[in-house]
Amino acid sequence: MIDNATILITGGTGFFGTAMARRLLTGFKPKKLIIYSRDEYKQFLMAEKFREHEDHLRFFIGDIRDKDRLARAFYDVDYVFHAGALKQVPACEYNPFEAVKTNIEGTQNVIDCAIDRGVKKVVALSTDKAVNPISLYGATKLAADKIFVSANAYAGSKNSVFSVLRSGNLAGSRGSVIPFFQMLIDKGEKELPITDMRMTRYWATVEEAVDLALVALRESCGGEIFVSKIPSFRITDLARALKPDCGLKEIGIRDGEKIHEIMITEYDSLHTREYDGHYIIFPTRYKLDKGRGLMEKGKKVEPFFQYTSDNNADW
């Protein structure tokens, strides 16, 4: 499927995009891999990192807000991984209109260009913060997820397939607390700030996210939300794992921050099935003619099942 195909990654120089590029270039033989992002310096560094694959690697400087540029980049593309977004919760709270323009309007541009250019499949990278959101970032990602699911009806006869991958914060990414804690430890701080001592989060590695994104690309029939089945951790345990002798100082929850994250709500459970390494939330109007086999492979979860970071069986 990927061999001899042309693949594009929006936000391709980011944490997920770089890991996905590495997997595609070393594990498959794509005809061409296009990295679409705004930062020319990160593209330069990435080109140096993957110099041995330069015959199959292309870089487009562009913003997903720019529909014309996006349409040019999507020319003759078979598959897209959509990872371009503004992700920092505090930054989105302070710059809400910018988050809307990138995360919602930019996602709509990705959908329009994919349909117009005849892209076969698009997988969007989402987040646990899109579920029952209280932050502006989460609200924009919820909207992005909704329009991505609806895009399958919007595509009409074009047959482009859109699906979503929902995961927790990727350990070590810009959205993760790990680099922040490590920076404080490197500076010699004796105390680490904890917003709330009860706080739990999902633990997702970027390799796990890449694995499930490839599953979504292979199996999606239209409108599915693939949910990572991953362990949880307590923020206090993480702090002590990084620095066993550290003190912990509770500083209070920031704007838009939850004590626990959720990936599947009790209402989602009515349309959710469980698989070996993940869950799938199926859209209410599902194309059973295409996806019946995928649905039947899974086990229907119990009614009003919830998947949250504090009720997880895996820690």
Side-chain angles (χ1 to χ4, degrees):
M1 181 178 184
I2 293 174
D3 290 347
N4 298 316
T6 297
I7 301 162
L8 182 143
I9 307 173
T10 69
T13 55
F15 193 65
F16 172 85
T18 301
M20 175 59 78
R22 182 181 298 109
R23 178 71 62 84
L24 294 174
L25 291 169
T26 59
F28 301 91
K29 296 179 180 178
K31 177 181 178 182
K32 189 190 305 181
L33 176 60
I34 301 170
I35 302 300
Y36 186 92
S37 71
R38 298 174 300 174
D39 193 324
E40 78 280 7
Y41 182 61
K42 286 183 180 178
Q43 288 190 2
F44 166 75
L45 295 177
M46 192 170 179
E48 291 296 305
K49 183 182 295 185
F50 295 118
R51 180 176 290 278
E52 62 185 293
H53 302 286
E54 62 184 357
D55 289 346
H56 303 283
L57 197 56
R58 301 290 184 272
F59 291 93
F60 262 74
I61 294 174
D63 196 312
I64 58 175
R65 298 183 186 187
D66 186 343
K67 191 173 180 179
D68 290 339
R69 182 61 172 166
L70 203 59
R72 175 64 62 187
F74 274 37
Y75 189 78
D76 278 347
V77 168
D78 297 299
Y79 306 112
V80 171
F81 291 102
H82 174 40
L86 294 181
K87 302 180 177 72
Q88 292 283 340
V89 170
C92 290
E93 292 294 315
Y94 191 70
N95 303 278
F97 301 116
E98 300 306 305
V100 168
K101 288 176 185 175
T102 297
N103 296 354
I104 299 177
E105 295 175 11
T107 294
Q108 183 175 348
N109 289 339
V110 168
I111 291 168
D112 286 338
C113 291
I115 293 170
D116 293 344
R117 291 299 193 189
V119 173
K120 297 172 186 175
K121 285 191 176 185
V122 188
V123 178
L125 187 66
S126 187
T127 169
D128 46 17
K129 292 176 177 59
V131 186
N132 289 353
I134 63 169
S135 66
L136 194 282
Y137 167 60
T140 61
K141 293 300 285 185
L142 171 62
D145 290 359
K146 292 287 188 182
I147 63 175
F148 231 75
V149 170
S150 297
N152 292 278
Y154 182 57
S157 61
K158 293 289 187 176
N159 293 321
S160 296
V161 170
F162 299 87
S163 61
V164 175
L165 162 61
R166 180 181 292 165
S167 187
N169 281 341
L170 302 182
S173 69
R174 286 179 302 162
S176 166
V177 72
I178 295 173
F180 175 65
F181 278 171
Q182 193 61 56
M183 177 189 69
L184 295 178
I185 292 168
D186 292 344
K187 286 170 62 178
E189 295 288 345
K190 302 300 182 183
E191 282 188 327
L192 294 179
I194 307 293
T195 54
D196 190 292
M197 295 296 181
R198 300 166 293 174
M199 188 169 287
T200 63
R201 288 293 182 266
Y202 289 104
W203 181 271
T205 67
V206 70
E207 291 79 16
E208 288 169 327
V210 167
D211 287 342
L212 189 52
L214 292 172
V215 170
L217 185 71
R218 182 177 67 248
E219 297 187 353
S220 59
C221 299
E224 304 91 346
I225 299 177
F226 290 75
V227 179
S228 297
K229 192 186 289 186
I230 48 180
S232 297
F233 68 97
R234 295 174 182 83
I235 295 292
T236 52
D237 290 344
L238 172 65
R240 292 189 178 103
L242 289 170
K243 186 172 175 57
D245 60 345
C246 70
L248 302 179
K249 178 176 63 176
E250 191 168 67
I251 60 173
I253 292 179
R254 301 174 300 174
D255 287 346
E257 193 171 43
K258 294 179 182 178
I259 295 178
H260 308 296
E261 294 290 1
I262 181 168
M263 292 230 264
I264 300 174
T265 70
E266 56 186 298
Y267 305 106
D268 290 330
S269 69
L270 303 175
H271 311 286
T272 299
R273 291 180 179 261
E274 183 177 6
Y275 300 78
D276 287 342
H278 60 278
Y279 299 94
I280 297 179
I281 303 170
F282 289 90
T284 51
R285 297 181 180 179
Y286 192 56
K287 298 178 180 179
L288 279 177
D289 55 325
K290 292 184 177 181
R292 187 182 301 275
L294 176 60
M295 183 177 281
E296 290 175 349
K297 289 178 185 176
K299 176 185 175 184
K300 192 166 177 58
V301 302
E302 293 295 322
F304 307 112
F305 163 83
Q306 293 187 76
Y307 185 37
T308 66
S309 61
D310 62 320
N311 79 354
N312 202 341
D314 187 11
W315 290 79

